[in-house]
């Protein structure tokens, strides 16, 4: 019986990996001798939003794809998974990550529409909308971090079980279950705030993004969950 969890090729992203994406998209200030008209700068600024969306969405969806659905997990490994972590927690965490990936696309499309509107007529307005889009994406990440952490614990544990023998795996799980050492995942229910993600943006995230645009900051921590 093959252990599907051993096939996971990538590390589960941490919140710092998403921060690094935002930092990598920081606006580059033109040199004094280089003239760039404002419309070109606005276009470059607006392009940062779909760039961030693609990278965030790809990072999240890769986790969803690589972690096997229950139908791909052999019966003995499924039993271990359930005893150690609980089927429902695993399915919920995997679904949360998939849903977060989809929300990145929704956020990007919403803000690309705003960036293309007639009233977005200055570089300052463009930067403000870009920061708002980034802040919304980071708000989703913030809600998804516990699910990512939980899946990483699942991967670490399940990938280390023997391929050959369900007996060893089953006995190991039984001991852990007996001593109550399972993990749980917080029910974050991303869909409950899909229409209101702007209201859940951490003001400190916006402050950091403004500082990043001004070149006054390089990194930040998103902060604890509410």
């Amino acid at each position: 019986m093959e252990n599907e969890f051993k096939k996971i090729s990538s590390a589960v992203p941490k919140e710092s990996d998403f921060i690094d994406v935002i930092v990598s998209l920081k606006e580059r200030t033109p040199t004094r001798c280089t003239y760039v008209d404002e419309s070109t700068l606005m276009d470059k600024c607006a392009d940062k939003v779909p760039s961030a969306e693609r990278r965030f969405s790809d990072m999240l969806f890769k986790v969803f794809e690589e972690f096997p659905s229950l139908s791909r997990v052999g019966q003995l490994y499924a039993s271990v998974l359930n005893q150690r972590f609980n089927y429902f927690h695993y399915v919920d965490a995997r679904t949360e990550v998939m849903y977060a990936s989809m929300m990145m696309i929704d956020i990007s499309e919403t803000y690309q529409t705003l960036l293309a509107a007639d009233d977005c007529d200055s570089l300052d307005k463009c930067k403000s909308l870009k920061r708002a889009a980034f802040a919304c994406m980071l708000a989703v990440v913030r809600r998804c971090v516990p699910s990512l952490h939980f899946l990483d614990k699942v991967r670490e544990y399940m990938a280390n079980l023997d391929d050959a023998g369900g007996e060893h795996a089953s006995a190991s799980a039984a001991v852990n279950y007996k001593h109550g050492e399972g993990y749980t995942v917080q029910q974050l229910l991303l869909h409950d705030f899909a229409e209101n993600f702007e209201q859940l943006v951490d003001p400190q995230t916006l402050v950091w993004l403004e500082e990043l645009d001004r070149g006054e900051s390089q990194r930040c921590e998103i902060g604890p969950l509410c």
Side-chain angles (χ1 to χ4, degrees):
M1 183 184 303
E2 196 169 12
N3 185 346
E4 290 291 323
F5 291 92
K6 288 185 181 290
K7 297 180 181 179
I8 297 172
S9 62
S10 304
V12 175
K14 298 178 174 59
E15 90 178 30
S16 59
D17 296 318
F18 295 94
I19 297 294
D20 288 342
V21 169
I22 298 298
V23 172
S24 74
L25 293 172
K26 181 181 180 297
E27 305 290 341
R28 305 300 177 205
T29 304
T31 60
R32 289 184 180 179
C33 60
T34 303
Y35 172 77
V36 182
D37 65 88
E38 187 169 74
S39 63
T40 300
L41 292 174
M42 289 172 63
D43 288 342
K44 288 183 177 180
C45 177
D47 286 345
K48 305 289 185 183
V49 173
S51 294
E53 173 264 306
R54 283 191 296 271
R55 291 172 68 177
F56 276 34
S57 185
D58 287 350
M59 289 163 70
L60 292 164
F61 195 75
K62 189 167 186 179
V63 173
F64 172 74
E65 273 193 319
E66 290 210 330
F67 277 78
S69 62
L70 291 181
S71 63
R72 288 166 48 200
V73 179
Q75 185 175 357
L76 286 172
Y77 287 108
S79 177
V80 174
L81 178 66
N82 188 42
Q83 291 179 20
R84 175 69 173 172
F85 298 100
N86 187 307
Y87 284 147
F88 299 110
H89 292 161
Y90 177 75
V91 171
D92 284 346
R94 191 169 172 269
T95 301
E96 285 284 323
V97 171
M98 181 272 292
Y99 198 80
S101 175
M102 294 171 61
M103 283 186 69
M104 297 302 171
I105 298 171
D106 290 343
I107 292 167
S108 179
E109 290 178 349
T110 296
Y111 278 92
Q112 285 184 76
T113 299
L114 294 173
L115 285 160
D118 291 340
D119 60 351
C120 183
D121 54 5
S122 71
L123 182 58
D124 284 344
K125 287 184 179 179
C126 187
K127 285 185 175 182
S128 179
L129 287 171
K130 177 204 69 175
R131 290 193 296 266
F134 285 175
C136 288
M137 292 179 191
L138 289 172
V140 174
V141 167
R142 185 184 188 189
R143 293 289 171 134
C144 198
V145 163
S147 291
L148 293 169
H149 180 70
F150 172 80
L151 289 172
D152 199 35
K153 292 290 186 185
V154 171
R155 177 200 59 76
E156 183 181 312
Y157 183 81
M158 297 296 294
N160 286 324
L161 298 177
D162 295 337
D163 277 327
E167 291 184 4
H168 176 202
S170 184
S172 174
V175 169
N176 287 317
Y177 178 74
K178 184 171 156 183
H179 291 286
E181 295 177 356
Y183 293 92
T184 59
V185 61
Q186 183 176 349
Q187 299 302 303
L188 300 174
L189 302 178
L190 284 171
H191 60 275
D192 284 349
F193 70 93
E195 299 300 322
N196 302 301
F197 44 69
E198 292 177 341
Q199 299 175 20
L200 296 168
V201 168
D202 181 1
Q204 286 303 115
T205 300
L206 282 170
V207 170
W208 170 70
L209 289 166
E210 290 176 10
E211 291 174 348
L212 188 66
D213 268 354
R214 293 196 302 265
E216 297 173 5
S217 177
Q218 288 297 316
R219 299 200 36 89
C220 81
E221 295 301 327
I222 294 177
L225 284 168
C226 298

